[in-house]
């Protein structure tokens, strides 16, 4: 599992903040003409008119640019059919015959076969058919890493970062992560890019990390697709053809089920970032993220229902999503004022709907 630490996240956020402060072409949900951030002109007859309507609707900024970077990566796309020599140990592992896999891999591992050593490390690290043994798993991962196996170098680097089964060693961990990334391991490419950004705050780090994010993104890592989209949209001096692909990369991450990408894609579509505005599709992506439990999306969806953006106005639905986001701790004075301004029976209906909500 990729590693995320408070220090790493701090450096990444600082890097993006520095770039935005320098005057990026696009800043997420901060454009002055943002439709999401402005009150709409749709019908308002369903709302009370005997109370002040409150200040201009301005929802919170929601999820930051790299808040989800370093989270558990989604599964890679299905591999192409393999037509080479059959690995009996790995075949047994894939079918769930872990003890058989161990028996077939161990003789090869003892003779220095890096792939077999990696397989044993995987079995021991997860306790598959055997007692979990992190220390011995680290031993076999280490041997395989020395033998140049990219998957083992990645796993061993993570163990060295955490001090799991081996003494913590950042220098050695970074070295193996870099080697695994250079060898084409997509998760290592993503994590090495993270390390590069952490060690080189600001625009310099993003430019150095971008090739690794791009390679990882091409192999299906949604977090890298999200990073590529944000970097393409943010850095000023990238080729125009890359800038034009920012929304497509965001859409790929969103289609992979990355809720933060769904949130940002919805905002981009509503605000016309990286392409033409599309209120209906923007609404649909925000609703998908909101139904998945993304609190920032729930907050913004409430504003869309109030302002009739991409959807007919619906005070009960707007209040429902506000109640859910408020319960999760996301305060929004504008939405609170709206909520207090609707009819009592609408408030009651919204509370009931919120109580029945289940993530989809």
């Amino acid at each position: 599992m990729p590693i995320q630490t408070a220090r790493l996240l701090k450096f990444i956020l600082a890097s993006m903040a520095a770039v935005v402060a320098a005057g990026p072409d696009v800043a997420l949900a901060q454009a002055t003409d943002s439709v999401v951030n402005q009150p709409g002109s749709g019908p308002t007859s369903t709302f009370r008119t005997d109370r002040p309507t409150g200040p201009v609707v301005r929802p919170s900024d929601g999820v930051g640019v790299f808040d989800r970077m370093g989270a558990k990566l989604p599964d890679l796309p299905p591999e192409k059919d393999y037509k080479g020599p059959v690995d009996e140990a790995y075949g047994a592992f894939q079918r769930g015959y872990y003890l058989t896999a161990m028996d077939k891999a161990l003789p090869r591992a003892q003779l220095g076969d890096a792939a077999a050593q990696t397989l044993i490390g995987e079995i021991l690290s997860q306790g598959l058919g055997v007692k979990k043994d992190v220390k011995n798993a680290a031993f076999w991962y280490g041997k395989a890493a020395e033998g140049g196996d990219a998957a083992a170098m990645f796993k061993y680097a993570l163990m060295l970062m955490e001090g799991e089964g081996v003494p913590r060693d950042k220098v050695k961990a970074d070295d193996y992560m870099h080697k695994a990334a250079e060898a084409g391991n997509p998760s290592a490419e993503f994590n090495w890019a993270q390390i590069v950004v952490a060690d080189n705050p600001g625009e310099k780090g993003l430019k150095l990390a971008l090739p690794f994010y791009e390679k990882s993104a091409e192999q299906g890592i949604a977090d890298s697709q999200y990073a590529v989209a944000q970097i393409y949209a943010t850095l000023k001096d990238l080729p125009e053809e890359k800038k034009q692909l920012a929304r497509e990369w965001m859409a790929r991450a969103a289609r992979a089920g990355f809720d933060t990408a769904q949130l940002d894609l919805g905002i981009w579509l509503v605000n016309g970032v990286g392409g033409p505005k599309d209120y209906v599709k923007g609404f649909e992506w925000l609703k998908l993220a909101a139904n998945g439990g993304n609190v920032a999306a729930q907050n913004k969806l409430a504003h869309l229902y109030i302002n009739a953006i991409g959807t007919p106005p619906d005070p009960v639905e707007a209040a429902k999503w506000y109640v859910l986001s408020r319960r999760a701790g996301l305060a929004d004075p504008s939405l609170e004022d709206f909520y207090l301004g609707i009819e009592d029976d609408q408030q009651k209906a919204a509370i009931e709907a919120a109580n029945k909500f289940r993530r989809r």
Side-chain angles (χ1 to χ4, degrees):
M1 179 182 295
I3 301 302
Q4 175 173 336
T5 64
R7 186 177 72 85
L8 180 61
L9 180 58
K10 180 179 71 174
F11 276 118
I12 292 170
L13 291 172
S15 296
M16 291 306 301
V19 173
V20 171
D25 291 340
V26 180
L28 175 63
Q30 293 179 351
T32 57
D33 61 347
S34 167
V35 176
V36 172
N37 291 345
Q38 290 182 353
S41 56
T44 58
S45 58
T46 56
F47 306 107
R48 281 187 180 176
T49 58
D50 60 338
R51 302 187 192 182
T53 57
V56 173
V57 175
R58 295 191 182 278
S60 63
D61 290 338
V63 178
V65 174
F66 280 109
D67 283 1
R68 274 281 305 270
M69 305 308 289
K72 184 180 184 301
L73 300 184
D75 294 333
L76 291 174
E79 295 182 2
K80 296 179 181 178
D81 291 339
Y82 178 68
K83 301 184 184 301
V86 176
D87 186 324
E88 292 184 357
Y90 187 64
F93 177 86
Q94 286 185 309
R95 295 192 300 273
Y97 301 137
Y98 301 121
L99 291 179
T100 301
M102 176 75 85
D103 289 341
K104 290 183 176 295
L106 188 56
R108 290 166 45 195
Q110 291 170 334
L111 293 174
D113 186 314
Q117 292 168 340
T118 301
L119 186 59
I120 293 175
E122 192 71 9
I123 292 171
L124 291 172
S125 68
Q126 297 188 50
L128 300 173
V130 298
K131 183 179 179 180
K132 185 174 181 178
D133 189 337
V134 176
K135 185 174 182 180
N136 273 318
F139 169 81
W140 286 112
Y141 276 139
K143 288 294 183 183
E146 291 173 5
D149 186 273
M153 288 190 288
F154 169 63
K155 291 294 184 73
Y156 193 51
L158 295 179
M159 299 182 91
L160 288 164
M161 286 181 184
E162 289 288 286
E164 185 180 12
V166 289
R168 191 187 302 270
D169 189 331
K170 183 182 184 308
V171 173
K172 195 173 182 179
D174 287 357
D175 181 55
Y176 272 123
M177 190 66 76
H178 189 192
K179 288 178 179 177
E182 293 287 0
N185 182 281
S187 295
E189 288 166 343
F190 168 78
N191 280 273
W192 177 246
Q194 295 287 85
I195 292 169
V196 169
V197 172
D199 290 344
N200 301 273
E203 187 171 318
K204 176 185 176 182
L206 295 174
K207 288 182 176 179
L208 291 172
L210 182 56
F212 292 97
Y213 282 133
E214 290 173 324
K215 292 175 185 177
S216 178
E218 290 285 359
Q219 296 191 68
I221 296 295
D223 285 60
S224 290
Q225 294 168 345
Y226 178 78
V228 168
Q230 291 289 8
I231 294 172
Y232 279 4
T234 301
L235 292 183
K236 292 184 294 183
D237 55 354
L238 290 177
E240 187 60 31
E241 57 267 25
K242 288 193 173 184
K243 288 181 173 293
Q244 292 177 358
L245 291 174
R247 186 185 283 188
E248 174 56 30
W249 280 115
M250 186 66 75
R252 290 192 194 186
R255 289 193 292 267
F258 191 165
D259 67 320
T260 303
Q262 293 167 352
L263 164 70
D264 288 355
L265 179 59
I267 294 171
W268 283 18
L269 286 163
V270 170
N271 290 345
V273 176
K277 295 180 180 180
D278 190 326
Y279 297 153
V280 173
K281 287 186 178 179
F283 169 83
E284 290 172 353
W285 278 111
L286 285 167
K287 189 172 183 179
L288 182 63
N291 276 319
N294 186 292
V295 176
Q298 292 170 348
N299 170 279
K300 294 189 182 298
L301 195 62
H303 287 276
L304 296 188
Y305 274 115
I306 292 171
N307 296 318
I309 298 174
T311 182
D314 190 328
V316 174
E317 276 294 292
K320 179 192 81 173
W321 291 112
Y322 167 57
V323 168
L324 288 167
S325 64
R326 183 180 64 182
R327 286 176 179 175
L330 181 53
D332 190 321
S334 298
L335 287 181
E336 179 66 17
D337 183 79
F338 150 76
Y339 178 77
L340 294 175
I342 62 177
E343 302 293 342
D344 293 341
D345 62 332
Q346 293 174 325
Q347 290 183 3
K348 181 179 179 181
I351 292 292
E352 291 175 352
N355 291 341
K356 294 177 182 178
F357 173 75
R358 295 290 183 274
R359 293 185 181 183
R360 299 172 190 171

